Amino acid sequence: MCPKTSKTTPLLLIAGICFVIVLVGITGITLINNINLSNIIRLNEKVASDSVSNNENQIKELNYVNNHPRNVYLKLNASKEDEEEKMQKEQEQEHVQLELPKTSAVIGGSKLQIRDNQLKGSSEAVSPSTPTPSTFATQLSSGDGDAPTSSVTSPPLPFGGVKYNGSSGLIDYEKRNQVVKMMEHAWHNYKLYAWGKNELRPLSQRPHSGSIFGSYDLGATIVDGLDTLYIMGLEKEYREGRDWIERKFSLDNISAELSVFETNIRFVGGMLTLYAFTGDPLYKEKAQHIADKLLPAFQTPTGIPYALVNTKSGVAKNYGWASGGSSILSEFGTLHLEFAYLSDITGNPLYRERVQTIRQVLKEIEKPKGLYPNFLNPKTGKWGQLHMSLGALGDSYYEYLLKAWLQSGQTDEEAREMYDEAMLAIMDNMVRTSPGGLTYVSDLKFDRLEHKMDHLACFSGGLFALGAATRQNDYTDRYMEAGKGITNTCHESYIRAPTQLGPEAFRFSEAVEARALRSQEKYYILRPETFESYFVLWRLTHDQKYRDWGWEAVLALEKHCRTAHGYCGLRNVYQQEPQKDDVQQSFFLAETLKYLYLLFSDDSVLPLDEWVFNTEAHPLPIKGANAYYRQAPVTLPVSNAS
């Protein structure tokens, strides 16, 4: 007989299983909570530790999470605002807004006409929570109002060229945003097809190995364009470029003959601007590294440097075509801004000594009719061919005379005197008016005017105007008249071409004016010089036509030079459908787009009484007027260079 089975057994079994499941669940949840709590505690400890570390290294190192240049600036302001709010509560009284010191625009005894004739409604009160560079200088100095040196580091210049005076009345947002889109298009395609190389070939979608820097991975477009990205507020793209420079950029193993001039204005100049903007020591170290690689070129009997130097071997030489082994005026004369500033931020007088030697040679040498020929033999110290130009081979030497005086806070009187003497000689011997009333600067060869003007000389409209605005003297009116006239002529060279873009050179005669005649003069390679003069004349006069002319150029660039993968130059500006040259020049990002962006920006974005632009459009701070000068605590006296 089988035993009888109880009906309660399955119920007890099921209840037991359920109890075990519930117990396991509770235990698991408790364990997970404990683990999470432990992780949270560790995370909080790490955040606290990182915060302490970041506070200690806020000035010494920049990382892009806590110490991004703009974030540091905002945190400094936030800290100040918190402190003011606390004082309000404690004292139970209304906040008293302190009047900020006004930045003087008086230069050389005359007011720089930067903010004259402003549009109605363009001026607003300065917010106390938005310090100006001069305000920072006051806050960070020992109380005597002097600009801070690197011992008291100024905060980074905020992204996007922050408007220190709070004014937005002079910004043309729509047009400026279009220029930003152009910059993004140029940069993103360079990154996609030529990253780390020097330049992009947009049609071929590959690097441009025929660049003046060859096929070496020097990242010319990165270094040249990085400050433009910074000014435009393109932080992600800026960070990409900065990281590449830190990881990849070096001249140590580059066995190539590099142009001293081009390497200086693009690489040294670009690094120095980024150092002024950010205070990031990476850029100062790189600028010094590059300049040191150029120094062997200065080992000549006169101190006039050779044009080319092998940055690995140190062997230097001149171009074979340059008038019997001569050095070129526009090249050896366009080093002063960068080398003088490098001496000031490093405390090493060597760089200033080198360019001061060049200055003395040019000051003391006899000059035919007060003019500077384009060629000088670095061994004999004698002029080569008597060919004078404010365009190719001569141009930026004259620019650096005026700007060295401005950069020095107008203490370098020698530079200003040499500038005035040179420009008066040019006006007397080379500036002419065409039968149609157009002002132009002709090349002069062996006492014969060619009645030809280079596109490169179109920068001189802005140069003459800047010389007029920064010092009242007997030549002021003549300078301004010449500046406006030359700028108008360069605009005419643009609008007389079907593409609305100007040729490389243009001529004047009874039959034709402001037009290229030879096939090798009809190309346009994305050059910036005309837009540079538009920008300077706009800042000095606020005449709307300069912005209108700039916008014409933007539309022409978009119509004829833009491709699916970047921007190209044109082989013939006089054709309705011109052939493209398949090169996106690095200076298109460094200069052309920067000047167009600034043309449509407010005057307080890189104001002309605080910054000078090197000949590659890299802004350098003016000593004594700009808190971002970042001079080293001690600069040794300059010795007499041989």
Side-chain angles (χ1 to χ4, degrees), residues 89-290:
K89 293 179 179 178
E90 290 177 350
Q91 299 175 4
E92 295 182 352
Q93 61 180 351
E94 294 182 356
H95 173 66
V96 179
Q97 295 184 347
L98 299 178
E99 182 179 355
L100 294 178
K102 296 180 180 178
T103 302
S104 174
V106 176
I107 297 185
S110 65
K111 282 193 175 182
L112 181 61
Q113 302 164 23
I114 294 176
R115 294 178 174 85
D116 289 354
N117 304 320
Q118 291 203 12
L119 301 180
K120 292 182 179 180
S122 64
S123 299
E124 298 177 5
V126 182
S127 169
S129 63
T130 307
T132 67
S134 57
T135 307
F136 275 129
T138 304
Q139 292 171 348
L140 297 173
S141 68
S142 58
D144 56 5
D146 293 334
T149 64
S150 59
S151 60
V152 184
T153 305
S154 298
L157 184 73
F159 262 98
V162 67
K163 295 168 287 301
Y164 295 111
N165 64 4
S167 169
S168 60
L170 294 180
I171 302 175
D172 191 324
Y173 289 99
E174 180 181 358
K175 294 180 175 61
R176 192 175 72 168
N177 289 343
Q178 178 59 41
V179 179
V180 174
K181 292 177 183 177
M182 295 169 72
M183 183 69 182
E184 290 175 318
H185 183 65
W187 178 267
H188 291 161
N189 280 283
Y190 165 77
K191 179 186 174 184
L192 187 60
Y193 299 111
W195 186 247
K197 302 294 183 179
N198 292 314
E199 291 171 336
L200 167 68
R201 294 176 68 92
L203 300 181
S204 305
Q205 297 161 47
R206 58 186 175 87
H208 176 41
S209 60
S211 157
I212 59 169
F213 296 109
S215 58
Y216 288 95
D217 294 358
L218 299 180
T221 294
I222 297 174
V223 180
D224 226 6
L226 208 56
D227 62 343
T228 305
L229 295 172
Y230 195 101
I231 293 165
M232 291 181 175
L234 298 174
E235 300 182 41
K236 176 179 178 291
E237 292 81 357
Y238 165 80
R239 183 166 58 250
E240 294 167 346
R242 193 266 182 200
D243 290 345
W244 183 89
I245 290 174
E246 182 177 38
R247 292 183 294 104
K248 297 290 188 179
F249 182 83
S250 174
L251 296 181
D252 285 336
N253 297 312
I254 304 298
S255 183
E257 293 177 344
L258 297 182
S259 164
V260 174
F261 163 72
E262 296 286 0
T263 304
N264 174 63
I265 65 172
R266 302 194 198 202
F267 288 90
V268 179
M271 297 293 187
L272 290 175
T273 291
L274 292 164
Y275 176 67
F277 281 0
T278 68
D280 189 339
L282 169 71
Y283 297 122
K284 179 170 67 172
E285 293 163 4
K286 294 295 185 183
Q288 190 166 13
H289 164 72
I290 301 163

Side-chain angles (χ1 to χ4, degrees), residues 62-79:
L62 294 175
N63 65 69
Y64 293 97
V65 178
N66 294 316
N67 291 323
H68 187 279
R70 184 168 70 176
N71 293 341
V72 170
Y73 181 87
L74 294 176
K75 283 192 290 186
L76 287 170
N77 286 339
S79 176

Side-chain angles (χ1 to χ4, degrees), residues 213 251 256-269 286-300 303-312 314-317 331 334-335 338-339 342 350-351 354-355:
F213 296 109
L251 296 181
E257 293 177 344
L258 297 182
S259 164
V260 174
F261 163 72
E262 296 286 0
T263 304
N264 174 63
I265 65 172
R266 302 194 198 202
F267 288 90
V268 179
K286 294 295 185 183
Q288 190 166 13
H289 164 72
I290 301 163
D292 287 345
K293 294 293 186 180
L294 302 180
L295 288 177
F298 291 78
Q299 300 303 314
T300 67
I304 299 294
Y306 290 115
L308 301 168
V309 62
N310 186 304
T311 53
K312 188 172 184 180
V315 175
K317 67 177 185 180
E331 297 196 346
T334 309
L335 302 166
E338 296 82 6
F339 274 52
L342 186 58
L350 177 63
Y351 310 106
R354 293 293 180 262
V355 293

Side-chain angles (χ1 to χ4, degrees), residues 488-502:
N488 176 70
T489 298
C490 292
H491 174 248
E492 288 292 327
S493 77
Y494 274 58
I495 63 174
R496 296 183 185 199
T499 59
Q500 303 286 285
L501 293 168

Side-chain angles (χ1 to χ4, degrees), residues 475-619:
Y475 327 123
T476 299
D477 292 340
R478 289 184 67 192
Y479 283 162
M480 184 58 75
E481 182 181 1
K484 291 179 178 179
I486 290 169
T487 303
N488 176 70
T489 298
C490 292
H491 174 248
E492 288 292 327
S493 77
Y494 274 58
I495 63 174
R496 296 183 185 199
T499 59
Q500 303 286 285
L501 293 168
E504 180 70 3
F506 43 94
R507 296 177 181 268
F508 299 85
S509 68
E510 294 293 339
V512 66
E513 294 187 348
R515 184 179 174 91
L517 297 179
R518 302 176 183 178
S519 59
Q520 65 268 29
E521 298 172 349
K522 296 180 178 179
Y523 62 87
Y524 172 72
I525 55 172
L526 305 174
R527 286 204 185 277
E529 290 79 17
T530 298
F531 313 143
E532 177 181 357
S533 286
Y534 293 171
F535 159 66
V536 175
L537 266 297
W538 162 256
R539 284 284 178 95
L540 298 179
T541 69
H542 289 153
D543 189 329
Q544 180 61 32
K545 71 182 179 183
Y546 297 113
R547 278 188 163 178
D548 294 341
W549 294 352
W551 184 242
E552 290 173 1
V554 168
L555 297 178
L557 288 167
E558 288 291 85
K559 180 178 179 180
H560 296 290
C561 299
R562 184 185 179 104
T563 74
H565 304 290
Y567 291 85
C568 299
L570 306 178
R571 298 191 184 279
N572 188 339
V573 297
Y574 297 106
Q575 295 176 345
Q576 294 289 345
E577 298 294 334
Q579 182 183 2
K580 297 177 174 63
D581 67 3
D582 198 18
V583 179
Q584 181 175 280
Q585 306 280 349
S586 81
F587 58 68
F588 179 66
L589 290 79
E591 300 184 77
T592 306
L593 294 179
K594 182 184 289 133
Y595 281 129
L596 288 170
Y597 177 86
L598 292 173
L599 176 63
F600 301 117
S601 295
D602 188 79
D603 289 2
S604 59
V605 181
L606 301 176
L608 295 184
D609 52 358
E610 294 181 8
W611 301 88
V612 292
F613 292 79
N614 88 337
T615 200
E616 191 76 4
H618 295 306

